[in-house]
């Protein structure tokens, strides 16, 4: 048991990026505040996990659930491909998050993957990615412009965990130029955009392991996925 209070500790992976604030221009460990606010609104206590430690088991033992947040592309060498011209990577995040995920799955801690987080989940289980959707879809609808979120309507599989949370269909904010090609071993596709892009996948069973290709943190009026993660974390206490 990671925490003894009624509010579970939810670990959120974070970025190491150049940042400017107040009088400082420096490398910072940071995360979009909307993730933190989403966890708080859902009844959890957010704990930021910067990609600087190899103590994956210890970190996972300290939290009740894990959010793999969005961000840079997974290194395509991890799924046996050459790097596309549009692919940008953060190897330190890959090492950290793949290690955290292994520990979380081993400890049966609830996991929610957001955008990149779904891709980490799938690649960690042997899957591959389509590195640039405009090459295959002839459309940039999933990532309309730098810093601009698109909107995707996602159909969700009847009987799936995600459908039990969100219903048969949901309209969501999206921002990604990559997507699942071959799903990792054991994952089940449970959500699709109209163009066929896999938008959600989960591990079947009584544990909570769910990845979504969209960005639920960008809609503060719909925190149901965060609430479901927090509730699963409470059940593990």
């Amino acid at each position: 048991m990671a925490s003894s209070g009624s509010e579970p500790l939810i670990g959120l992976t974070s970025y190491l990026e150049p940042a400017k604030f107040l009088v400082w221009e420096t490398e910072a460990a940071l995360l979009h505040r909307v993730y933190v606010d989403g966890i708080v609104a859902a009844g959890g206590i957010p704990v930021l996990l910067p990609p600087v430690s190899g103590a994956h088991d210890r970190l996972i033992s300290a939290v009740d659930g894990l959010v793999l947040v969005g961000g840079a592309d997974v290194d395509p060498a991890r799924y046996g491909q050459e790097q596309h011209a549009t692919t940008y990577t953060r190897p330190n995040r890959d090492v950290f998050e793949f290690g955290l995920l292994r520990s979380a799955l081993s400890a049966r801690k609830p996991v929610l993957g957001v955008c990149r987080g779904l891709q980490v989940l799938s690649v960690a289980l042997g899957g591959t990615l389509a590195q640039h959707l405009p090459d295959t879809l002839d459309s940039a609808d999933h990532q309309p412009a730098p810093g601009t979120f698109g909107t995707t309507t996602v159909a969700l599989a009847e009987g799936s965990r995600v459908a039990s949370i969100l219903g048969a269909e949901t309209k969501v904010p999206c921002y990604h130029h990559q997507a699942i090609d071959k799903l990792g071993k054991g994952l089940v596709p449970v959500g699709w955009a109209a163009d066929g892009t896999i938008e959600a996948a989960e591990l079947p069973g009584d544990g909570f392991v769910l990845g979504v290709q969209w960005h639920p943190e960008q809609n503060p009026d719909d925190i149901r996925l965060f609430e479901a993660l927090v509730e699963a974390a409470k059940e593990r206490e």
Side-chain angles (χ1 to χ4, degrees):
M1 182 173 64
S3 64
S4 57
S6 60
E7 298 172 294
L9 299 176
I10 304 298
L12 299 106
T13 56
S14 58
Y15 298 60
L16 285 181
E17 296 288 342
K20 186 174 182 178
F21 50 95
L22 299 176
V23 298
W24 309 110
E25 189 167 352
T26 184
E27 188 172 22
L30 49 83
L31 180 63
H32 305 272
R33 178 173 170 169
V34 284
Y35 284 103
V36 173
D37 290 343
I39 293 299
V40 171
I45 299 174
V47 179
L48 266 59
L49 305 175
V52 295
S53 172
H56 307 123
D57 288 346
R58 186 172 180 186
L59 289 171
I60 289 300
S61 71
V63 299
D64 301 299
L66 175 66
V67 180
L68 298 170
V69 307
D73 301 323
V74 175
D75 185 348
R78 287 183 175 266
Y79 50 93
Q81 292 184 14
E82 296 294 320
Q83 186 165 325
H84 189 280
T86 64
T87 296
Y88 69 103
T89 64
R90 294 291 185 268
N92 59 336
R93 282 195 64 182
D94 287 353
V95 171
F96 182 67
E97 292 176 11
F98 278 72
L100 277 186
L101 177 61
R102 282 192 297 270
S103 295
L105 294 177
S106 177
R108 294 183 59 80
K109 294 290 179 76
V111 177
L112 174 63
V114 172
C115 197
R116 165 189 162 89
L118 168 62
Q119 296 168 10
V120 168
L121 175 61
S122 185
V123 172
L125 296 174
T128 64
L129 303 177
Q131 288 193 54
H132 195 54
L133 287 177
D135 288 350
T136 54
L137 297 178
D138 195 28
S139 167
D141 288 349
H142 293 280
Q143 190 183 68
T148 300
F149 286 86
T151 300
T152 300
T153 299
V154 180
L156 301 172
E158 183 178 358
S160 65
R161 177 182 292 276
V162 69
S164 73
I165 300 167
L166 300 177
E169 185 176 278
T170 185
K171 186 174 288 187
V172 297
C174 63
Y175 188 80
H176 62 100
H177 78 112
Q178 298 194 345
I180 300 297
D181 182 15
K182 183 186 79 173
L183 264 178
K185 184 177 180 181
L187 285 170
V188 176
V190 291
W192 302 265
D195 59 20
T197 300
I198 293 175
E199 292 286 338
E202 59 191 39
L203 285 178
D206 58 359
F208 186 106
V209 180
L210 168 63
V212 297
Q213 190 59 75
W214 66 86
H215 282 271
E217 80 285 356
Q218 294 298 321
N219 184 0
D221 295 324
D222 186 354
I223 59 169
R224 287 176 292 172
L225 285 174
F226 293 131
E227 287 176 330
L229 175 70
V230 168
E231 187 58 35
K234 286 181 179 178
E235 292 172 359
R236 287 268 309 148
E237 292 184 4

